């Protein structure tokens, strides 16, 4: 397939002079870090540092991690909230319309750049790997919070090291509030809880073990033997008998969870990737892939003192290749049945009613108004997701900082349909190459138009009723055999906006491309 190299015009629009281009052929990888704009008046200003640290995760030895540390320089004190005793970064709590400046200081001994997953921000504040900082470098991000209320997150986006840096701890939640959300009076304060799901493996000294260097492990993506929730191995919560909002983030590298309540009460979702749904939706189970978020409404009203309810991840046998027959390494070493074989039921969290209360907010029947995006004149953009031996790719291409293919050029202000085509079959000898890909798009959120699951076979079929496709999405799981059609606006900002598989090992292997919005 023909590849169009960046033209001089697109460079100019990206704010780079032609002289610099001629002088520095490798420039996209060596861009001068952005230092901010004197005329930008922030409402919120933060300093964010990446550091190495030791934290207690398991009993005994501390674990060496990489983590974010933050300091609020300006803005409401509620902007930063820390989860106690974890490697996760503090939650960044923004309000729609705020102008935010974040000064990132890379205090690791390796390169790093951070991305705000879900936020619609200009290219130079998006954490594109072209801005990767050396050890000791710093970068100034400036953006206005254009997003509606919802749950997003920030994480490392250092090309070819994203998976490892996220694995070692470089991730944290972002919440955005707006007037519509405020009017709903959803459970907040102690009644709003994050649930960040991440799987990890530990050695005998409690140190994190990442993948071996085998290509097979990378192609499959990292699967740990212990699932941590909010960075802890035994998530147990004391609850009142009332309704809660749970902001669930799948912050795992590759693991897909099939969420369900142990007593078979249906799950009620009120929000998805970066926004509230138009109305609550119930499902017997919900699938959450890496990079996705689901806001749950958990109603414990009417439950008795001492009642417990567990949030489970149901078995997903055969869905994660190479894990058939269970996990590797230490199984179930840390409380309950938290080991991570794909045929096991995993307890994610246990909620115990320790206080009876009589009033509880009731579930709003209408949440927010979501305009339905409709089709466009331009032909759909087809993106074919392929697992070739040694290289997962998109339309046969791997990531390049500079190449922009024909179908990757889109006009500013346009609305495009995009077909995500996963042709791999889940059966037969091709099975090891058949994987589900959680496809993520930087920039503005999209809507899912349709899902063709007719050709989804085998174990993967056990996931297909658990998708939450309504509302605004930025990450969507595409099963083997499936074609998912989405519609996405490209407004506000010109520049390079990445799209990639959020199986982070796939991303690092190059299953990433970019749109050039011109
Ligand atoms: Cu959460 Cu480009 O990623
Ligand atoms: Cu993103
Ligand atoms: Cu993938």
């Amino acid at each position: 397939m023909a590849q169009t190299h960046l033209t001089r015009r697109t460079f100019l629009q990206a704010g780079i002079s032609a002289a610099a281009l001629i002088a520095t052929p490798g420039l996209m990888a060596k861009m001068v870090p952005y230092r901010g704009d004197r005329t930008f008046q922030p409402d919120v200003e933060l300093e964010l540092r990446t550091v190495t640290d030791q934290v207690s995760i398991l009993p005994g030895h501390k674990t060496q991690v990489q983590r974010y540390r933050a300091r609020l320089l300006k803005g409401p004190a509620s902007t930063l909230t820390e989860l106690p005793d974890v490697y996760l970064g503090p939650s960044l709590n923004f309000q729609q319309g705020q102008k935010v400046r974040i000064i990132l200081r890379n205090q690791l001994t390796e390169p790093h750049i951070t991305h705000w997953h879900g936020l619609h921000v200009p290219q130079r504040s998006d954490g594109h790997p072209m801005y990767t900082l050396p050890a000791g470098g710093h970068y100034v991000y400036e953006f206005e919070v254009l997003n509606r209320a919802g749950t997003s997150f920030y994480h490392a986006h250092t090309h070819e090291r994203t998976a490892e840096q996220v694995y070692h701890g470089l991730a944290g939640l972002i919440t955005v509030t707006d007037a519509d959300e405020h009017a709903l009076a959803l459970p907040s304060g102690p009644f709003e809880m994050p649930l960040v799901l991440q799987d990890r493996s530990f050695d005998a000294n409690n140190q994190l073990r990442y993948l071996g260097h085998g290509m097979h492990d990378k192609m499959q993506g990292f699967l740990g033997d212990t699932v941590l929730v909010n960075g802890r191995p035994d998530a147990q919560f004391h609850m009142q008998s009332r309704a809660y909002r749970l902001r669930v983030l799948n912050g795992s590298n590759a693991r897909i969870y099939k969420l369900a309540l142990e007593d078979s009460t249906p799950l009620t979702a009120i929000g998805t990737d970066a926004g509230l749904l138009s109305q609550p939706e119930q499902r017997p189970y919900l699938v959450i892939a890496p990079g996705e978020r689901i806001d749950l409404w958990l109603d414990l009203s009417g439950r008795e003192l001492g009642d417990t309810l567990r949030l489970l991840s149901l078995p997903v046998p055969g869905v994660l290749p190479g894990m058939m027959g269970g996990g590797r390494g230490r199984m179930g070493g840390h409380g309950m049945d938290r080991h991570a074989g794909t045929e096991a039921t995993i307890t994610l969290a246990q909620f115990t009613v320790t206080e009876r209360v009589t009033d509880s907010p009731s579930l709003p029947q209408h949440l927010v108004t979501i305009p339905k995006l409709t089709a466009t004149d331009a032909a759909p953009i087809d993106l074919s997701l392929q697992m070739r031996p040694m290289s997962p790719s998109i339309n046969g291409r791997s990531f390049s900082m500079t190449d922009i293919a024909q179908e990757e050029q889109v006009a500013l202000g346009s609305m495009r349909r995009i077909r995500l085509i996963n042709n791999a079959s889940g059966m037969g000898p091709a099975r090891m190459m058949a994987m589900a890909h959680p496809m993520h798009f930087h920039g503005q959120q999209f809507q899912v138009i349709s899902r063709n699951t007719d050709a989804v076979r085998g174990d993967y079929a056990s996931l297909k009723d658990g998708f939450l496709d309504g509302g605004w999405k930025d990450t969507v799981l595409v099963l083997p055999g499936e074609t998912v059609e989405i519609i996405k606006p490209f407004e506000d900002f010109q520049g390079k906006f990445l799209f990639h598989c959020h199986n982070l090992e796939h991303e690092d292997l190059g299953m990433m491309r970019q749109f050039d919005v011109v």
Side-chain angles (χ1 to χ4, degrees):
M1 218 162 285
Q3 297 200 355
T4 320
H5 286 269
L6 275 174
T7 61
R8 182 169 171 276
R9 196 176 124 257
T10 53
F11 265 107
L12 290 172
Q13 284 174 339
I16 302 157
S17 79
L21 173 60
I22 292 156
T24 329
L27 146 131
M28 294 294 279
K30 294 193 189 72
M31 285 196 48
V32 175
Y34 182 58
R35 296 293 190 222
D37 172 355
R38 277 169 212 280
T39 64
F40 184 88
Q41 296 287 325
D43 305 299
V44 171
E45 192 165 355
L46 297 169
E47 180 192 65
L48 194 65
R49 295 181 298 129
T50 53
V51 300
T52 50
D53 200 1
Q54 307 265 330
V55 297
S56 284
I57 301 175
L58 305 178
H61 287 123
K62 289 192 168 186
T63 304
Q64 168 132 352
V65 298
Q66 296 176 327
R67 67 186 305 193
Y68 289 105
R69 289 292 203 182
R71 191 157 65 98
L72 185 64
L73 305 175
K74 182 179 180 193
S78 58
T79 304
L80 291 182
T81 48
E82 301 263 358
L83 288 163
D85 277 343
V86 290
Y87 57 80
L88 288 168
S91 300
L92 311 183
N93 307 302
F94 299 136
Q95 297 162 24
Q96 189 182 54
Q98 278 178 331
K99 288 193 170 157
V100 177
R101 174 182 288 152
I102 300 173
I103 303 151
L104 173 70
R105 297 189 188 283
N106 179 21
Q107 299 181 348
L108 304 173
T109 54
E110 60 187 57
H112 172 82
I113 196 71
T114 294
H115 164 63
W116 327 100
H117 177 135
L119 297 189
H120 176 41
V121 298
Q123 171 195 294
R124 68 183 180 197
S125 292
D126 193 45
H128 191 292
M130 72 169 89
Y131 301 115
T132 297
L133 296 172
H138 77 279
Y139 195 92
V140 179
Y141 296 84
E142 289 171 341
F143 55 84
E144 181 180 336
V145 179
L146 298 178
N147 286 64
R148 56 196 83 69
T151 307
S152 288
F153 70 122
Y154 61 105
H155 62 77
H157 218 300
T158 320
H159 188 47
E160 295 177 338
R161 295 185 196 226
T162 295
E164 245 183 291
Q165 291 188 351
V166 171
Y167 181 72
H168 285 95
L170 290 173
L173 274 180
I174 297 174
T175 70
V176 175
T177 60
D178 64 11
D180 289 346
E181 185 188 60
H182 225 255
L184 291 169
L186 297 173
S188 63
F191 310 113
E192 177 201 319
M193 299 168 26
L195 285 184
V196 179
L197 312 180
Q198 296 180 307
D199 56 335
R200 296 292 182 263
S201 292
F202 295 90
D203 69 14
N205 293 316
N206 288 351
Q207 300 311 304
L208 289 167
R209 278 191 301 134
Y210 187 57
L211 287 177
H213 292 284
M215 188 49 73
H216 174 79
D217 284 355
K218 279 217 169 124
M219 290 297 274
Q220 157 197 297
F222 174 85
L223 297 170
D225 55 30
T226 302
V227 176
L228 304 178
V229 174
N230 299 343
R232 315 290 311 165
D234 286 286
Q236 309 205 28
F237 300 99
H238 292 172
M239 312 287 275
Q240 293 184 359
S241 57
R242 53 161 285 152
Y244 284 77
R245 175 183 190 177
L246 305 180
R247 295 181 187 261
V248 187
L249 160 67
N250 183 350
S252 308
N253 284 27
R255 181 174 294 275
I256 297 165
Y257 301 88
K258 184 175 176 181
L259 306 177
L261 289 170
E262 98 181 292
D263 69 352
S264 307
T265 320
L267 288 166
T268 302
I270 57 170
T272 178
D273 290 353
L276 293 166
L277 294 167
S278 56
Q279 69 235 352
E281 293 202 35
Q282 289 202 330
R283 295 279 190 288
Y285 67 89
L286 278 166
V287 173
I288 186 166
E292 289 187 304
R293 291 83 74 201
I294 299 178
D295 276 28
L296 291 177
W297 177 275
L298 180 69
D299 194 353
L300 300 176
S301 54
R303 298 205 182 232
E304 299 299 328
L305 214 56
D307 276 3
T308 64
L309 181 61
R310 294 197 293 169
L311 178 67
L312 308 175
S313 182
L314 299 179
V316 285
V319 165
L320 301 160
M323 290 296 285
M324 271 104 52
R328 298 161 298 182
R330 183 155 63 175
M331 299 284 288
H334 306 291
M336 300 192 280
D337 40 3
R338 207 173 288 276
H339 55 278
T342 55
E343 289 174 357
T345 295
I346 303 167
T347 296
L348 299 174
Q350 176 168 310
F351 305 100
T352 304
V353 177
T354 54
E355 195 178 337
R356 286 238 11 165
V357 294
T358 46
D359 59 327
S360 173
S362 53
L363 177 64
Q365 284 318 297
H366 171 80
L367 296 163
V368 293
T369 302
I370 300 180
K372 197 170 160 54
L373 303 182
T374 51
T376 49
D377 353 308
I381 300 168
D382 281 351
L383 299 178
S384 166
L385 315 177
Q386 294 151 342
M387 290 288 281
R388 298 179 307 189
M390 309 301 143
S391 82
S393 62
I394 300 172
N395 283 353
R397 304 181 191 98
S398 295
F399 182 63
S400 150
M401 287 281 184
T402 50
D403 287 345
I404 303 290
Q406 196 68 50
E407 71 273 16
E408 293 165 345
Q409 292 184 18
V410 298
L412 180 68
S414 66
M415 179 82 75
R416 300 298 298 269
R417 284 181 293 146
I418 302 169
R419 287 195 297 224
L420 301 166
I421 305 159
N422 187 346
N423 269 330
S425 134
M427 302 294 273
R431 177 177 180 137
M432 292 306 281
M433 288 292 116
M435 284 192 69
H437 300 288
M439 292 300 296
H440 168 56
F441 292 77
H442 288 216
Q444 249 167 320
Q445 262 71 34
F446 56 78
Q447 293 178 2
V448 176
I449 301 180
S450 67
R451 223 178 237 285
N452 183 341
T453 51
D454 293 353
V456 176
R457 304 244 183 286
D459 295 320
Y460 283 100
S462 68
L463 296 183
K464 69 180 172 51
D465 298 321
F467 296 125
L468 205 56
D469 284 336
W472 295 102
K473 297 280 294 165
D474 56 51
T475 307
V476 64
L477 187 65
V478 188
L479 299 179
E482 195 171 39
T483 294
V484 177
E485 186 166 7
I486 65 172
I487 182 165
K488 180 175 171 9
F490 290 87
E491 293 168 324
D492 304 308
F493 307 118
Q494 293 182 326
K496 309 291 182 301
F497 291 92
L498 299 167
F499 56 93
H500 56 87
C501 181
H502 221 283
N503 174 317
L504 297 182
E505 283 71 30
H506 289 184
E507 174 184 342
D508 278 349
L509 284 171
M511 195 171 187
M512 173 159 80
R513 296 289 301 178
Q514 55 192 334
F515 285 120
D516 188 12
V517 183
V518 295

